Amino acid sequence: MQLSVLDLVSVRSDQTTSDALAATVRLAQTADRLGYTRYWLAEHHNMPAVAATSPPVLIAYLAAQTTQIRLGSGGVMLPNHAPLAVAEQFALLEAAAPGRIDLGLGRAPGSDPVTSIALRGPAGRDDSDIQNFPQYLDEVAAMMSPRGVRVELPAHLGRPDYILKATPVATGQPRIWLLGSSMYSAHLAAAKGLPYVFAHHFSGQGTEEALEVYRSDFQPSDHTSVPVTFLTVNASVAATRAEAEALLLPNLQMMARLRTGQPLGALDLVEDAEALRPSPQEQRIIDAGRTKSIVGTPAEAAAQLRALAEQFGVDEVMVNPVGSAHRGTDPATAPARETTIELLAKELF
């Protein structure tokens, strides 16, 4: 089974953004050294606990500090951006790190409505960008290709066509993946013949149905001739199950606050999380999140991962190491997150 890493560049209450980025560099280098397949960065905006706002910037930053692991977006939220801008960014990344770049694309805003409006700027972009998502997918792929895309212009402009390229002399292009957590994304990925990733770490529901629809409805394409898929899952692994659960708790509580509409802050330290008394509604969300996560000792976690891969018929799983830290931890490090991927590698590689 192949293992990969998803990173939201989490920001604990004891960290600055610079600290969180330093910890991400260490985590990416650890995954690179251990032989993980890929390392993806998320796109979220205006969230106190998430520093991953710009996947292409982070990918470039990590490409210079790793040697072999594939780097990608998990994902770029395409309605927030002009397709040409995305195509240019990732074509340039592919030119700088040939054969190591993945472009995962999603249609969710990755933030609240106010921030989404601010992201789209004063030009008046609106929800039609979400409706146009399938067209934008095609445009990004075409513009990143070596041949570019032909744009038809009005006859009065004096040119019958115009070639638009993301980069002047492309010799390769990033692999495009469609990301999703709904049946819409499964149907779209199948129709366009795209590799597909289900956000099991976020939803945890509908995974089996979405993957079944993707595989049964898949149409071969230039992207891939057969269905290609994997899924994501939250993980916290430690020497004891009690420690793994303690390190996981701050993330579960943060998700409970998010789902109940409460104000969000940085990711709590373990001691602060253990002192909180969640409401009954929050506790139900916490309990449900724990059952959907990979959590426990190395042997327990490895068994859970194998069972998950077998259940959904995938040969790759992307783990989101979400462990927080104890008070007194060096802010520029994330030892719980590093330990999670180290212990999993020892058990599964």
Side-chain angles (χ1 to χ4, degrees):
M1 180 173 58
Q2 296 182 83
L3 288 180
S4 295
V5 177
L6 174 65
D7 187 4
L8 276 63
V9 191
S10 59
V11 183
R12 304 189 308 261
S13 59
D14 63 334
Q15 290 179 309
T16 64
T17 304
S18 295
D19 292 330
L21 288 171
T24 274
V25 170
R26 287 173 55 101
L27 187 65
Q29 290 174 334
T30 300
D32 191 31
R33 171 176 54 82
L34 292 172
Y36 277 73
T37 300
R38 64 189 92 240
Y39 193 100
W40 281 10
L41 290 307
E43 178 188 338
H44 291 288
H45 301 280
N46 202 32
M47 299 181 70
V50 178
T53 57
S54 179
V57 172
L58 290 168
I59 291 167
Y61 183 54
L62 295 180
Q65 302 182 78
T66 54
T67 60
Q68 60 186 3
I69 195 167
R70 293 189 67 91
L71 299 165
S73 56
V76 167
M77 301 296 104
L78 192 49
N80 293 336
H81 312 284
L84 176 57
V86 174
E88 286 182 333
Q89 290 163 358
F90 279 81
L92 201 58
L93 287 168
E94 174 66 22
R100 293 182 59 202
I101 303 301
D102 293 327
L103 172 53
L105 293 165
R107 72 178 184 125
S111 189
D112 60 85
V114 174
T115 305
S116 295
I117 292 171
L119 276 168
R120 297 176 191 182
R125 301 187 74 194
D126 53 31
D127 285 345
S128 64
D129 293 305
I130 297 175
Q131 297 166 8
N132 292 334
F133 179 66
Q135 175 188 335
Y136 291 169
L137 280 173
D138 293 339
E139 291 176 358
V140 170
M143 287 186 287
M144 287 194 306
S145 70
R147 63 184 178 275
V149 62
R150 188 178 300 275
V151 180
E152 294 185 3
L153 299 177
H156 72 273
L157 293 179
R159 298 181 63 175
D161 53 53
Y162 185 91
I163 302 299
L164 190 59
K165 291 185 176 183
T167 189
V169 191
T171 56
Q173 59 193 101
R175 187 166 203 188
I176 296 179
W177 296 75
L178 183 59
L179 280 57
S181 57
S182 68
M183 294 305 297
Y184 171 89
S185 58
H187 283 292
L188 183 60
K192 291 192 175 294
L194 285 166
Y196 177 55
V197 182
F198 190 84
H200 185 76
H201 78 284
F202 180 77
S203 174
Q205 296 181 344
T207 307
E208 188 168 6
E209 183 182 6
L211 294 183
E212 182 179 343
V213 163
Y214 169 68
R215 290 170 175 138
S216 62
D217 292 357
F218 181 83
Q219 299 296 313
S221 72
D222 290 341
H223 298 287
T224 178
S225 60
V226 296
V228 177
T229 187
F230 64 84
L231 53 82
T232 59
V233 65
N234 292 332
S236 178
V237 186
T240 67
R241 184 177 182 88
E243 176 65 1
E245 290 190 350
L247 291 163
L248 175 65
L249 182 60
N251 178 268
L252 295 175
Q253 291 179 343
M254 182 178 67
M255 291 304 300
R257 289 193 290 270
L258 175 66
R259 296 186 186 281
T260 55
Q262 298 182 53
L264 300 177
L267 185 68
D268 284 334
L269 296 172
V270 170
E271 290 80 2
D272 297 327
E274 290 176 336
L276 295 177
R277 294 295 175 263
S279 68
Q281 182 184 12
E282 291 172 321
Q283 190 61 53
R284 286 192 293 272
I285 296 172
I286 291 168
D287 292 341
R290 186 181 292 110
T291 62
K292 296 169 186 173
S293 301
I294 301 299
V295 56
T297 65
E300 291 171 335
Q304 292 166 28
L305 273 173
R306 290 191 186 98
L308 188 73
E310 182 177 356
Q311 178 183 355
F312 297 114
V314 297
D315 58 10
E316 179 178 346
V317 177
M318 178 172 278
V319 296
N320 178 23
V322 295
S324 184
H326 290 278
R327 186 168 287 110
T329 299
D330 180 353
T333 68
R337 303 178 73 209
E338 290 183 45
T339 297
T340 288
I341 66 172
E342 288 172 341
L343 294 178
L344 287 176
K346 287 181 181 178
E347 289 289 326
L348 295 167
F349 291 167

